[in-house]
Each structure stands twice: as structure tokens, then as C-alpha cells.
Amino acid sequence: MKLENRDGLMLLIEHKWKIIATIAVALFFFAIIFILRPLSDGIVLGLVFAYISRPIYLKLNKNKRIGALVATACIVVPIIFILGAGILEIIQQITWVVQNQRQVIESLSSFIQNIEIPDFLYYEIRHRIQEISQSIIPLLSDIGIVSYAKDLAIFALNLVISIIVCYVLLSDGYNLYQKVLDITPGEYQKIFQNYVAELDKILGGIFIGNAYAALFVGVVSAIVFYIFGFSHILALSALIFIAAVVPLFAGYMVLVPLALIRYFNQGIGPALTFFLVASIVIYLPPELFMRPYLASLKSKVHPLLIMLAFIGGAFVGGIAGFFAAPILMGALIAAYRVYVRELYSNGYRLGQKIDESKTDK
């Protein structure tokens, strides 16, 4: 036992500078993460935008700088216009609701009274509204939504950073990959390449497979909402875009409530007209033309896992968490798949060595 302890201690002493260097690098890494934390939204968004823009960039790969600029302009600008401006408008509306609780409650009560429902149901709904006003709305105020809404400069800065990060990753991302590959030990380079290829396939199915259809849906929905005279167009379009990105969600979760509101305000005819036109114009082109083209981009990850990653990430990390959680989940699944593939390639199956003599027979 003493010999083993002495050998272990000597091993630590022998590699003390490597251990110190590793700890120092780790500390610097975590310090950088802490410093860049306020800009995490822009960095993660830039990474996602670069991934979505990459197919266009590859088509224009003759000139890296111009290709990166065109791809960034074609994809990032519309997404930021829909998602960024829409989220800002949503935050402003939530802020207004928190600051004008009494007016909101009176408007809801007046709306419910005008739709001529039975008295017992009217008083029950009004009671529920009062409970919400006394619990959920103060909670929203306590968690800092009002203060976050006032910090629009940081959010705008993150949007600018996302554009810069997207452009840099498109133009110089391959060089960064090569540098990481160069510092990877030679015996692990093949595994690292397989891991990157698997992660690329998973993230392609999660983001690229839905992003183009979601972008089309978001832009067209803004036009449809404008034609039908809805207010808060950017906020509604952002909700449509997010619903189209997240698996198991659908834009009908937004269209159906809007059709009901239109029914109570204008009647059954305008409500049906809006719902039919919106459904055909917004969803028919993606399903007929874009979905078949993007059918090959599949992550082979269950949609429920992806949905939980999106929603859980949003609750934990806001905008950055919304997109970072699926990336982390994809990284974990890619590591598992590469590990299993390596086991099979080395003759292991289900944790046991395959008997080659039996397999030959």
C-alpha cells in the first residue's frame, strides 16, 4: 500500500506543471465565461444563426467574406426583425400589463360580460381573473420583467453581437475547427471528427430542418396580420415563429385564439375568413415545397426531448437558454452515439466482447 501511495504521489509530482497548467486554463476559461455572461444571448444567437445560414454560405463558398455577408443578410436580418422586435414588443406589453393591472382586469371583465355567458359562469371566470391579478401578475413583477424591459440597450447590443458572431463563424469557423483538431491528440482525432460530424447532423435536424420553414411562416404571418388589421403584429409573428421552430408546437396555437377573438368582435364570417386564409397562405407553401426539400435533415432525436430542451432552456436561461439547451442535448446524444459506434467497431456489443470465433461460424 505504501508503495502504491508513493508511486501515486511521485506521479503527481512528476506531472505537477501539467496539472497546474490545466487548473490555470480551467480557471481562465470560467473567468471568461463569467465576464461574457451578459452577452450570452448574442453569442448563442450568433452560433444558431451561423448554423442556419451555413447552407446559403456553402452555395457561395467561392468568396468566403462575400458569402458570409450574403448568408448573414439573407437569414439573420429577417430573423432578428421578427424575433428580436417581436420579443421586445412582448416584453413591453407584459410591462404595461404589470403597471396597469386595474385597467386590464376591468377590460377583461367588460369583455366577458359582453359575450353573454350565464351568470354563474361569468362570476366564476371573474373570480379566476381576480386570483390571477393577485398572484401571477405580482409574481411577474417580482421576477424582474419590468427591470429587464427597461434594459433594452443590452438586448439591442446582443442582437448586434449575434450578427457579428454569425458572420465571423461563417467566414472563419472552419479555421477554428482545424485549430481545435490540431491540438487534439493524434489517437483521438478520428473520434473527434466522428463526434463533430454526428453533432452536425443532430443540430442540422434540430435547427436547419425547421428554421427555414419557420422563417417563411414568420414573414408571411406578419403580412397576413397586417392585412387583417391586427395590432402588435411583430409580437404575434414572433410567437408564430417560435411555435414553428419548436417540435410538437404549431402556429395554430396562435391562430385559433386570434380567430376566437375575431369571432367575438366581428362575428363568425370574418373569423372563418381569417382562419382559412391564414392557414392556407401561411402553412400550405412550407408543407408542399419546403418540408419535402428539408426532409433529409433529421436529427433522429425524439421531438419530445427537443421540445423539453427548448422550453426548459428558456425557463433557466432566457433567450440564450432557449437555443443553448438543445445544443447541449445534441452534444450529449452525439457523444453517446459515437461511444456506441466505437464499441461496435472494437467488437463490443451490449457491454460484452463479441466472440469472433462464433461470429465466423
Side-chain angles (χ1 to χ4, degrees), residues 55-123:
I56 296 178
Y57 168 74
L58 293 177
K59 296 290 184 180
L60 306 171
N61 204 19
K62 294 181 179 180
N63 190 314
K64 291 185 177 181
R65 303 297 179 183
I66 296 178
L69 182 62
V70 173
T72 302
C74 291
I75 299 298
V76 176
V77 173
I79 291 179
I80 286 183
F81 178 74
I82 294 174
L83 191 59
I87 290 176
L88 287 177
E89 187 171 348
I90 291 173
I91 294 175
Q92 290 173 352
Q93 292 302 315
I94 294 176
T95 304
W96 184 88
V97 169
V98 172
Q99 294 175 342
N100 299 272
Q101 299 180 31
R102 181 173 298 179
Q103 183 178 349
V104 172
I105 299 302
E106 291 177 355
S107 299
L108 287 175
S109 300
S110 176
F111 172 77
I112 295 172
Q113 191 173 12
N114 291 334
I115 61 178
E116 298 180 357
I117 60 177
D119 291 340
F120 76 93
L121 187 59
Y122 167 75
Y123 288 113

Side-chain angles (χ1 to χ4, degrees), residues 264-275:
F264 289 123
N265 291 334
Q266 301 182 18
I268 186 65
L272 286 177
T273 301
F274 161 73
F275 186 78

Side-chain angles (χ1 to χ4, degrees), residues 85-245:
I87 290 176
L88 287 177
E89 187 171 348
I90 291 173
I91 294 175
Q92 290 173 352
Q93 292 302 315
I94 294 176
T95 304
W96 184 88
V97 169
V98 172
Q99 294 175 342
N100 299 272
Q101 299 180 31
R102 181 173 298 179
Q103 183 178 349
V104 172
I105 299 302
E106 291 177 355
S107 299
L108 287 175
S109 300
S110 176
F111 172 77
I112 295 172
Q113 191 173 12
N114 291 334
I115 61 178
E116 298 180 357
I117 60 177
D119 291 340
F120 76 93
L121 187 59
Y122 167 75
Y123 288 113
E124 179 66 21
I125 295 176
R126 186 169 183 176
H127 176 67
R128 298 301 177 187
I129 293 175
Q130 291 292 339
E131 289 183 347
I132 293 175
S133 67
Q134 296 173 2
S135 58
I136 297 180
I137 294 181
L139 179 62
L140 293 177
S141 180
D142 292 338
I143 63 177
I145 290 182
V146 174
S147 61
Y148 185 76
K150 294 179 180 179
D151 201 11
L152 299 182
I154 295 294
F155 185 75
L157 179 61
N158 276 298
L159 293 180
V160 174
I161 290 175
S162 68
I163 298 175
I164 298 174
V165 171
C166 176
Y167 174 78
V168 172
L169 288 177
L170 286 176
S171 59
D172 296 325
Y174 183 76
N175 294 332
L176 177 61
Y177 165 74
Q178 285 295 332
K179 290 178 181 179
V180 176
L181 184 62
D182 290 339
I183 65 175
T184 303
E187 63 270 23
Y188 297 112
Q189 285 190 357
K190 184 63 177 178
I191 296 177
F192 177 75
Q193 289 175 327
N194 293 337
Y195 174 75
V196 172
E198 187 66 33
L199 178 61
D200 180 74
K201 183 169 63 176
I202 292 174
L203 296 184
I206 294 176
F207 292 118
I208 302 178
N210 292 323
Y212 288 95
L215 180 58
F216 176 87
V217 167
V219 173
V220 174
S221 65
I223 299 173
V224 172
F225 293 149
Y226 175 78
I227 293 175
F228 280 89
F230 283 95
S231 58
H232 312 302
I233 295 174
L234 293 178
L236 294 175
S237 299
L239 293 176
I240 291 282
F241 177 86
I242 293 173
V245 169

